[in-house]
Amino acid sequence: MLVIIVAAVVVHAAQYMHARDALAADSVGGGHAHQLSALFHENGSVRRFVSSFCVSNETVESLYYPFAAHSVEWNILGRDRAWWSVLSNSPQTKDISAEEKAKFYYSGTEHVRKVFRHLELNEESGDYGSGLSVLDFGCGLGRLAFAFANIQTVQRVACVDQSVNHLSIARNEWIKRKRRGSADVDFIATDVDLLRAVGGQRYDVVHSVIVLQHMVSQLQTAYLEQLCDVLAPGGYGWVQLPIETLGNSPSLILTLVIS
């Protein structure tokens, strides 16, 4: 059971974005290569993610151990029970029927339309320059990333996940489901260093649901900070956060959607 509380507040990116562009020195030819990364601050010091709940102070390097355990689990699920791992009402089989897949992806369309309505973004036209860019973090099989890509005002979508098995299925499904006029979709495998994975790109809409609730709090903290980092000035974030476990069951999670 998942209880969703939606906070009806739209936060301007400038109010909470704290981008930290790391400078990676490149001695080749005496020049300097600039690369966005969560490894360092601009001044070259090691970036730390403070998780007050666990009274810990983590770096990217220290987070690779919990990330590795998490990543292995999700890659196994992506290999054996990918569809069920995203939506638990799907069959626990390696593949599902075409009809079940159609329902799976249609559920994503309904969700994305709700997001656009809440953020007061226009699906068909609007003053968005060359078009909106969207990052869907923890995109899995592309259920929501595809729905974003089929909105007329969206130009490009980053489908970002730690499971290469999920991303492989998503890439193949997009080949079948892409419509004429759909946005470009980039399938990006990430580790703890999300900023490096997206290559310094910023996005008008940063989105993540039913993802962070599966992670330990240290990884939640590191990813949440980086999701703020990759949000473009003037952009919008729609991120679901677990805030309480109900009773003794880890499956009963009270969550908050911050927009």
Coordinates of all heavy atoms in Angstrom, one line a residue, residues 92-141:
Q92 N 4.9 -11.7 -12.5 CA 6.3 -11.9 -12.1 C 7.0 -12.9 -13.1 O 7.5 -13.9 -12.7 CB 6.4 -12.5 -10.7 CG 5.9 -11.5 -9.6 CD 6.2 -11.9 -8.2 OE1 7.4 -12.3 -7.9 NE2 5.3 -11.9 -7.3
T93 N 7.0 -12.5 -14.3 CA 7.6 -13.3 -15.4 C 8.6 -12.5 -16.1 O 8.7 -11.2 -16.0 CB 6.6 -13.8 -16.3 OG1 5.8 -12.7 -16.8 CG2 5.6 -14.8 -15.7
K94 N 9.5 -13.1 -16.9 CA 10.5 -12.4 -17.6 C 9.9 -11.5 -18.7 O 10.5 -10.4 -19.0 CB 11.5 -13.4 -18.3 CG 12.7 -12.8 -18.8 CD 13.8 -13.8 -19.2 CE 15.1 -13.1 -19.6 NZ 16.2 -14.1 -19.8
D95 N 8.8 -11.9 -19.3 CA 8.1 -11.1 -20.3 C 6.7 -11.1 -20.0 O 6.2 -12.0 -19.3 CB 8.4 -11.6 -21.7 CG 8.2 -10.5 -22.8 OD1 7.9 -9.4 -22.4 OD2 8.3 -10.9 -24.0
I96 N 5.9 -10.1 -20.6 CA 4.5 -10.1 -20.4 C 3.8 -9.9 -21.8 O 4.5 -9.6 -22.8 CB 4.0 -9.0 -19.4 CG1 4.5 -7.6 -20.0 CG2 4.6 -9.2 -18.1 CD1 4.0 -6.4 -19.1
S97 N 2.5 -10.1 -21.8 CA 1.8 -10.0 -23.1 C 1.8 -8.6 -23.7 O 2.0 -7.6 -23.0 CB 0.4 -10.6 -23.0 OG -0.4 -9.6 -22.2
A98 N 1.5 -8.5 -25.0 CA 1.4 -7.2 -25.6 C 0.3 -6.4 -25.0 O 0.4 -5.2 -24.8 CB 1.2 -7.4 -27.1
E99 N -0.8 -7.0 -24.6 CA -1.9 -6.3 -24.0 C -1.5 -5.8 -22.6 O -1.8 -4.6 -22.3 CB -3.1 -7.3 -23.8 CG -4.3 -6.6 -23.2 CD -5.5 -7.6 -23.0 OE1 -5.3 -8.8 -23.4 OE2 -6.5 -7.2 -22.5
E100 N -0.8 -6.6 -21.9 CA -0.3 -6.1 -20.6 C 0.7 -5.0 -20.7 O 0.7 -4.0 -19.9 CB 0.3 -7.3 -19.8 CG -0.7 -8.3 -19.3 CD -0.1 -9.6 -18.9 OE1 1.0 -9.9 -19.4 OE2 -0.7 -10.3 -18.1
K101 N 1.5 -5.0 -21.7 CA 2.5 -3.9 -22.0 C 1.8 -2.6 -22.3 O 2.1 -1.5 -21.9 CB 3.5 -4.3 -23.1 CG 4.5 -5.3 -22.7 CD 5.4 -5.7 -23.8 CE 6.4 -6.7 -23.4 NZ 7.3 -7.1 -24.5
A102 N 0.7 -2.8 -23.1 CA -0.1 -1.6 -23.5 C -0.7 -0.9 -22.3 O -0.6 0.3 -22.1 CB -1.2 -2.0 -24.5
K103 N -1.2 -1.7 -21.3 CA -1.8 -1.1 -20.1 C -0.7 -0.5 -19.2 O -0.8 0.5 -18.6 CB -2.5 -2.2 -19.3 CG -3.7 -2.8 -20.0 CD -4.3 -3.9 -19.1 CE -5.6 -4.5 -19.8 NZ -6.2 -5.6 -19.0
F104 N 0.5 -1.2 -19.2 CA 1.6 -0.7 -18.4 C 2.0 0.7 -18.9 O 2.2 1.6 -18.1 CB 2.8 -1.7 -18.6 CG 4.1 -1.3 -18.0 CD1 4.3 -1.7 -16.7 CD2 5.0 -0.6 -18.6 CE1 5.5 -1.4 -16.0 CE2 6.2 -0.3 -18.0 CZ 6.5 -0.7 -16.7
Y105 N 2.2 0.9 -20.2 CA 2.6 2.2 -20.7 C 1.5 3.2 -20.7 O 1.8 4.4 -20.5 CB 3.2 2.0 -22.1 CG 4.6 1.4 -22.1 CD1 4.8 0.1 -22.5 CD2 5.7 2.1 -21.6 CE1 6.1 -0.5 -22.4 CE2 7.0 1.5 -21.5 CZ 7.1 0.3 -21.9 OH 8.4 -0.3 -21.9
Y106 N 0.3 2.8 -20.8 CA -0.8 3.8 -20.7 C -0.9 4.4 -19.3 O -1.2 5.6 -19.2 CB -2.1 3.1 -21.1 CG -3.3 4.1 -21.0 CD1 -3.5 5.0 -22.0 CD2 -4.2 4.1 -20.0 CE1 -4.5 6.0 -22.0 CE2 -5.2 5.0 -19.9 CZ -5.4 5.9 -20.9 OH -6.4 6.8 -20.9
S107 N -0.6 3.6 -18.3 CA -0.6 4.1 -16.9 C 0.4 5.2 -16.8 O 0.2 6.2 -16.0 CB -0.3 3.0 -15.9 OG 1.0 2.6 -16.0
G108 N 1.5 5.2 -17.5 CA 2.5 6.3 -17.5 C 1.9 7.5 -18.1 O 2.2 8.6 -17.6
T109 N 1.2 7.4 -19.2 CA 0.6 8.6 -19.8 C -0.4 9.3 -18.9 O -0.3 10.6 -18.8 CB -0.2 8.1 -21.1 OG1 0.7 7.5 -22.0 CG2 -0.9 9.3 -21.8
E110 N -1.2 8.6 -18.1 CA -2.1 9.2 -17.2 C -1.3 10.0 -16.1 O -1.7 11.1 -15.7 CB -2.9 8.2 -16.5 CG -3.9 7.5 -17.4 CD -4.8 6.4 -16.7 OE1 -4.2 5.6 -16.0 OE2 -6.0 6.5 -16.9
H111 N -0.2 9.4 -15.6 CA 0.6 10.1 -14.6 C 1.2 11.4 -15.1 O 1.2 12.4 -14.4 CB 1.7 9.1 -14.1 CG 2.7 9.8 -13.2 ND1 2.4 10.0 -11.8 CD2 3.9 10.3 -13.5 CE1 3.5 10.7 -11.3 NE2 4.4 10.8 -12.3
V112 N 1.8 11.3 -16.3 CA 2.5 12.4 -16.8 C 1.6 13.6 -17.1 O 1.9 14.8 -16.9 CB 3.3 12.0 -18.1 CG1 3.8 13.3 -18.9 CG2 4.5 11.2 -17.7
R113 N 0.4 13.3 -17.6 CA -0.6 14.3 -17.8 C -1.0 15.0 -16.5 O -1.1 16.3 -16.4 CB -1.9 13.8 -18.5 CG -1.7 13.4 -19.9 CD -2.9 12.8 -20.5 NE -2.7 12.5 -22.0 CZ -3.5 11.8 -22.7 NH1 -4.5 11.1 -22.2 NH2 -3.3 11.7 -24.0
K114 N -1.1 14.3 -15.4 CA -1.3 14.8 -14.1 C -0.2 15.8 -13.7 O -0.4 16.9 -13.1 CB -1.5 13.7 -13.1 CG -1.7 14.2 -11.6 CD -1.8 13.1 -10.6 CE -0.5 12.5 -10.4 NZ -0.5 11.4 -9.3
V115 N 1.0 15.4 -13.9 CA 2.2 16.2 -13.6 C 2.2 17.5 -14.3 O 2.4 18.6 -13.8 CB 3.5 15.4 -13.9 CG1 4.7 16.4 -13.8 CG2 3.7 14.2 -13.0
F116 N 1.9 17.4 -15.6 CA 1.9 18.7 -16.4 C 0.7 19.6 -16.0 O 0.9 20.8 -15.9 CB 1.7 18.3 -17.9 CG 3.0 18.4 -18.7 CD1 4.1 17.5 -18.3 CD2 3.2 19.2 -19.7 CE1 5.3 17.5 -18.9 CE2 4.4 19.3 -20.4 CZ 5.5 18.4 -20.0
R117 N -0.4 19.0 -15.6 CA -1.5 19.9 -15.2 C -1.1 20.6 -13.9 O -1.4 21.7 -13.7 CB -2.8 19.0 -15.0 CG -3.5 18.6 -16.2 CD -4.9 18.1 -15.9 NE -4.9 17.0 -15.0 CZ -4.9 15.7 -15.3 NH1 -4.8 15.4 -16.6 NH2 -4.9 14.8 -14.4
H118 N -0.5 19.8 -12.9 CA -0.2 20.4 -11.7 C 0.9 21.5 -11.8 O 0.8 22.5 -11.1 CB 0.3 19.3 -10.7 CG 0.6 19.7 -9.3 ND1 -0.4 19.8 -8.4 CD2 1.7 20.1 -8.7 CE1 0.1 20.2 -7.2 NE2 1.4 20.4 -7.4
L119 N 1.8 21.3 -12.7 CA 2.9 22.2 -12.9 C 2.5 23.4 -13.8 O 3.3 24.3 -14.0 CB 4.1 21.6 -13.4 CG 4.8 20.5 -12.5 CD1 6.0 19.9 -13.2 CD2 5.2 21.1 -11.2
E120 N 1.2 23.3 -14.3 CA 0.7 24.3 -15.2 C 1.6 24.4 -16.5 O 1.8 25.5 -17.0 CB 0.5 25.6 -14.5 CG -0.5 25.6 -13.3 CD -0.6 26.9 -12.6 OE1 0.1 27.8 -12.9 OE2 -1.5 27.0 -11.8
L121 N 2.0 23.3 -17.0 CA 2.8 23.3 -18.2 C 1.8 22.8 -19.4 O 1.0 22.0 -19.2 CB 3.9 22.3 -18.1 CG 5.0 22.7 -17.1 CD1 6.0 21.5 -17.0 CD2 5.8 23.9 -17.6
N122 N 2.0 23.4 -20.5 CA 1.1 23.1 -21.7 C 1.7 21.9 -22.4 O 2.9 21.9 -22.7 CB 1.1 24.4 -22.6 CG -0.1 24.3 -23.5 OD1 -0.4 23.3 -24.2 ND2 -0.9 25.4 -23.5
E123 N 0.8 21.0 -22.8 CA 1.2 19.8 -23.5 C 1.3 20.0 -25.0 O 2.1 19.3 -25.7 CB 0.2 18.7 -23.2 CG 0.2 18.2 -21.8 CD -0.8 17.0 -21.7 OE1 -0.8 16.2 -22.6 OE2 -1.4 16.9 -20.6
E124 N 0.6 21.0 -25.5 CA 0.6 21.2 -27.0 C 1.3 22.4 -27.5 O 1.8 22.4 -28.6 CB -0.9 21.2 -27.4 CG -1.7 19.9 -27.1 CD -3.1 20.0 -27.5 OE1 -3.5 21.1 -28.0 OE2 -3.8 19.0 -27.3
S125 N 1.4 23.4 -26.7 CA 2.1 24.6 -27.2 C 2.5 25.5 -26.0 O 2.0 25.3 -24.9 CB 1.2 25.5 -28.1 OG 0.0 26.0 -27.4
G126 N 3.4 26.3 -26.2 CA 3.9 27.2 -25.1 C 5.2 27.8 -25.4 O 5.9 27.5 -26.4
D127 N 5.5 28.8 -24.6 CA 6.8 29.6 -24.9 C 7.9 28.9 -24.1 O 8.4 29.3 -23.1 CB 6.6 31.0 -24.3 CG 7.8 31.9 -24.7 OD1 8.6 31.5 -25.5 OD2 8.0 33.0 -24.0
Y128 N 8.3 27.8 -24.7 CA 9.4 27.0 -24.1 C 10.6 26.9 -24.9 O 11.4 26.0 -24.9 CB 8.9 25.5 -23.8 CG 7.6 25.4 -23.0 CD1 6.5 24.7 -23.5 CD2 7.6 26.1 -21.8 CE1 5.4 24.6 -22.7 CE2 6.4 26.0 -21.0 CZ 5.3 25.3 -21.5 OH 4.2 25.2 -20.7
G129 N 10.9 28.0 -25.7 CA 12.0 28.0 -26.6 C 12.0 26.9 -27.6 O 11.0 26.7 -28.3
S130 N 13.1 26.1 -27.6 CA 13.2 25.0 -28.6 C 12.5 23.8 -28.1 O 12.5 22.7 -28.7 CB 14.6 24.7 -28.9 OG 15.3 24.4 -27.7
G131 N 11.8 23.8 -26.9 CA 11.1 22.7 -26.3 C 11.7 22.3 -25.0 O 12.8 22.6 -24.6
L132 N 10.9 21.6 -24.2 CA 11.3 21.3 -22.8 C 12.2 20.1 -22.8 O 12.0 19.1 -23.6 CB 10.0 20.9 -22.0 CG 9.0 22.1 -21.7 CD1 7.7 21.5 -21.1 CD2 9.7 23.1 -20.7
S133 N 13.1 20.1 -21.9 CA 13.9 18.9 -21.6 C 13.5 18.3 -20.3 O 13.2 19.0 -19.3 CB 15.4 19.3 -21.6 OG 15.6 20.2 -20.6
V134 N 13.4 16.9 -20.3 CA 12.9 16.2 -19.1 C 13.9 15.1 -18.7 O 14.4 14.4 -19.5 CB 11.6 15.6 -19.3 CG1 11.1 14.8 -18.1 CG2 10.5 16.6 -19.8
L135 N 14.2 15.1 -17.4 CA 15.0 13.9 -16.8 C 14.1 13.1 -16.0 O 13.5 13.6 -15.0 CB 16.2 14.4 -16.0 CG 17.1 13.3 -15.5 CD1 18.6 13.8 -15.4 CD2 16.7 12.9 -14.1
D136 N 13.9 11.8 -16.3 CA 13.2 10.9 -15.5 C 14.2 10.0 -14.8 O 14.8 9.1 -15.4 CB 12.2 10.1 -16.3 CG 11.3 9.2 -15.5 OD1 11.0 9.6 -14.3 OD2 10.9 8.1 -16.0
F137 N 14.4 10.2 -13.5 CA 15.3 9.4 -12.7 C 14.7 8.2 -12.2 O 13.7 8.2 -11.5 CB 15.9 10.3 -11.6 CG 16.8 9.6 -10.7 CD1 18.1 9.2 -11.1 CD2 16.5 9.2 -9.4 CE1 19.0 8.6 -10.3 CE2 17.3 8.5 -8.5 CZ 18.6 8.2 -9.0
G138 N 15.4 7.0 -12.4 CA 14.8 5.7 -12.1 C 13.8 5.3 -13.0 O 12.7 4.8 -12.7
C139 N 14.1 5.6 -14.3 CA 13.0 5.4 -15.4 C 12.6 4.0 -15.6 O 11.6 3.7 -16.2 CB 13.5 6.1 -16.7 SG 14.9 5.2 -17.4
G140 N 13.5 3.0 -15.2 CA 13.1 1.6 -15.4 C 12.9 1.2 -16.8 O 13.8 1.3 -17.7
L141 N 11.7 0.8 -17.2 CA 11.4 0.4 -18.5 C 10.8 1.5 -19.4 O 10.3 1.2 -20.5 CB 10.4 -0.8 -18.4 CG 10.8 -2.0 -17.6 CD1 9.7 -3.0 -17.5 CD2 12.1 -2.6 -18.2

